[in-house]
Amino acid sequence: MKTSLRTVRLDLAEPLRISRSTTTAREAVWLTLAHEGERGHGEAVTSVYYGLDAPGLGRLLDVEAQWLARFADPESALEAFRTGARKDTPPAVAAAVESALLDLVGKRAGVPVHRLLGSHEAQPSAATARTIGITAPARAGAVAARLVREGFSVLKLKVGVPDPAEDLARVRAVRAAAPHARLLLDPNGAWSVPEAERLLAFGAELGVEAVEQPLAPGDPEALARFAERSPLPVIADEDAIDVDDARRLAGRVQGVNVKLAKCGGVGAASRIADLLDGSGTDLMLGCLTASTLSLAPAVHLVHRARWVDLDGHLLLAHDPWTGIGGTDGTVRVSRTPGLGVRERGPREGRP
């Protein structure tokens, strides 16, 4: 197999503010595998929180490219990957490698990736949450109303500012603007226990469906204890990185947010989904702000999730890839082999 790497900049349509930071752009490194006339692709994106910058991702992916070049075909490389040959590879890099392999193997077999993963779904699809960053309450309400008009039925509201009254005003404004939408809150671990108890009680009165990571990460036991008495279902995110974390929290929180870039790819995500089945803890599929290429593998798993939050590509000023939809509130797998995505031409805009 031949491999190549390319680094690109992904600018957001507007800054995304969350409780701990504001993002205006990310860099992405694309891995392309070529074999016998077919190509497979994967993407890893930078993240300050996970300590990933573009040069570091490039070096790590170059190591993986050298490993992949040893194999005669992508099928044998995928089998080696699945049996743990690269178990020490950082999760975001492993996810990109697995994506490229699955894309290429699926194209060579003439089947979409979800078939390779054992799914019998004809064409997995799901309503995706659409994120509204921290902004003035009136503007948050206006954005919510627009998103509902566009077809979004699930809205995720970022909260966690120093003044809890401002968070509450933002939730009220969004609920008033979108009275029938499913509403999720995400303070990214910014609340103390008393703040979480107070604000989630108000959230329950306003019909909020669930909250992600209300408490600071680093103490999953505290999160589990809080979930026992929380007025809203609690979805672990920053405290649920990998399979071991999910195992510790299964049956103790109401949900676990699985992101391919933090757990290591769709294989690891599938193992977490298997582990959670029947435990009383539901699966959420989340993402980083990234292109369609990053999100596509997760879309092939949406039939396994209670909550789907795969809107990172919709936050970009220009998504350089296409193939999973989402602008109407629904992400869906295409019927074409592999991931079902393609790189846009230089003159193509967003659909």
Side-chain angles (χ1 to χ4, degrees), residues 44-75:
V45 296
T46 57
S47 169
V48 173
Y49 185 79
Y50 292 113
L52 299 171
D53 60 16
L57 285 173
R59 288 191 295 270
L60 290 165
L61 281 166
D62 186 60
V63 171
E64 299 305 305
Q66 294 176 46
W67 175 75
L68 289 164
R70 302 173 187 173
F71 291 89
D73 55 66
E75 290 79 9

Side-chain angles (χ1 to χ4, degrees), residues 164-308:
E166 182 185 333
D167 276 341
L168 181 56
R170 191 177 304 104
V171 178
R172 283 175 169 155
V174 169
R175 175 48 80 211
H180 305 298
R182 297 169 58 195
L183 185 57
L184 308 173
L185 301 183
D186 186 7
N188 291 104
W191 290 336
S192 65
V193 171
E195 286 173 336
E197 289 174 339
R198 176 174 177 269
L199 289 166
L200 293 184
F202 283 117
E205 292 177 4
L206 293 169
V208 172
E209 184 171 320
V211 61
E212 287 184 60
Q213 195 69 40
L215 308 181
D219 191 349
E221 291 298 315
L223 186 69
R225 289 193 299 270
F226 179 80
E228 292 178 357
R229 64 182 191 279
S230 171
L232 288 177
V234 171
I235 303 168
D237 183 358
E238 286 88 345
D239 271 328
I241 303 298
D242 55 22
V243 175
D244 290 338
D245 293 333
R247 183 176 293 110
R248 281 190 288 268
L249 289 169
R252 305 183 66 201
V253 295
Q254 289 75 36
V256 166
N257 185 341
V258 172
K259 298 173 182 172
L260 304 190
K262 71 174 180 177
C263 75
V266 292
S270 295
R271 290 192 292 276
I272 293 173
D274 291 342
L275 185 155
L276 296 180
D277 277 348
S279 71
T281 297
D282 290 311
L283 178 70
M284 180 180 198
L285 282 172
C287 64
L288 301 179
T289 307
S291 83
T292 281
L293 178 57
S294 271
L295 275 67
V299 178
H300 287 263
L301 293 176
V302 294
H303 55 287
R304 305 202 63 180
R306 175 178 174 183
W307 299 284
V308 172

Side-chain angles (χ1 to χ4, degrees), residues 275-347:
L275 185 155
L276 296 180
D277 277 348
S279 71
T281 297
D282 290 311
L283 178 70
M284 180 180 198
L285 282 172
C287 64
L288 301 179
T289 307
S291 83
T292 281
L293 178 57
S294 271
L295 275 67
V299 178
H300 287 263
L301 293 176
V302 294
H303 55 287
R304 305 202 63 180
R306 175 178 174 183
W307 299 284
V308 172
D309 180 25
L310 298 176
D311 69 336
H313 62 309
L314 302 177
L315 305 180
L316 300 180
H318 172 70
D319 183 357
W321 294 80
T322 186
I324 61 173
T327 56
D328 61 352
T330 298
V331 288
R332 55 184 66 82
V333 169
S334 77
R335 298 184 185 277
T336 55
L339 292 174
V341 303
R342 66 174 178 84
E343 190 175 356
R344 294 184 194 274
R347 292 183 175 82

